[in-house]
Amino acid sequence: MRSIRMRTAAVLLGTAALGLAAPAQSFAGSGTASKAAYCGTDQSSGLAVSATGNVACATALQAAAAYTKVWQGKAGKPLQVRAGDATWECQERQGDPNPYQACVDSQDKTRLVTLSS
């Protein structure tokens, strides 16, 4: 049982490491490479959560949880959620090749939370 959990965690970490760097860079719009930190898995959706900028992982997980509570049935529409003393603008983005969910701090566009499979 433990080995299955370890394997699942390794797959999620690998997926996050491979799939998050490019979408985070292009969404942030800073023009400079920014490192994405893997923060964990959103409990509601099962998606991997990562953060760029100076976003703490606890805040990234809170923003992801707030977004996944309200996103069902609103595909493609931007939504605002509150987490960690900030308002986050969230919506689905087209990745290469798969879409992903992204939330950006409305006051600081370099702060990004990404949810991906």
Side-chain angles (χ1 to χ4, degrees), residues 37-52:
Y38 173 73
C39 294
T41 304
D42 174 63
Q43 296 298 313
S44 176
S45 65
L47 294 174
V49 178
S50 67
T52 58

Side-chain angles (χ1 to χ4, degrees), residues 15-76:
T15 301
L18 290 174
L20 295 178
Q25 253 179 275
S26 61
F27 185 75
S30 64
T32 62
S34 56
K35 287 190 174 188
Y38 173 73
C39 294
T41 304
D42 174 63
Q43 296 298 313
S44 176
S45 65
L47 294 174
V49 178
S50 67
T52 58
N54 64 345
V55 180
C57 279
T59 301
L61 291 167
Q62 289 171 358
Y67 179 49
T68 57
K69 284 182 184 176
V70 298
W71 74 351
Q72 297 300 328
K74 298 177 176 88

Side-chain angles (χ1 to χ4, degrees), residues 1 3 5 9 14 25 27 31 57-58 73 75-76 78 85-86 89 95 98 105-106 108-109 114:
M1 178 78 164
S3 67
R5 282 189 285 192
Q25 253 179 275
F27 185 75
C57 279
D85 295 329
E89 298 168 355
N98 298 322
D105 184 334
S106 62
D108 181 354
K109 302 297 186 193
T114 307

Side-chain angles (χ1 to χ4, degrees), residues 1 6 11 24 32 36-37 42 65 81-82 91:
M1 178 78 164
M6 295 297 283
V11 168
T32 62
D42 174 63
V81 298
R82 293 268 315 150
Q91 73 181 100

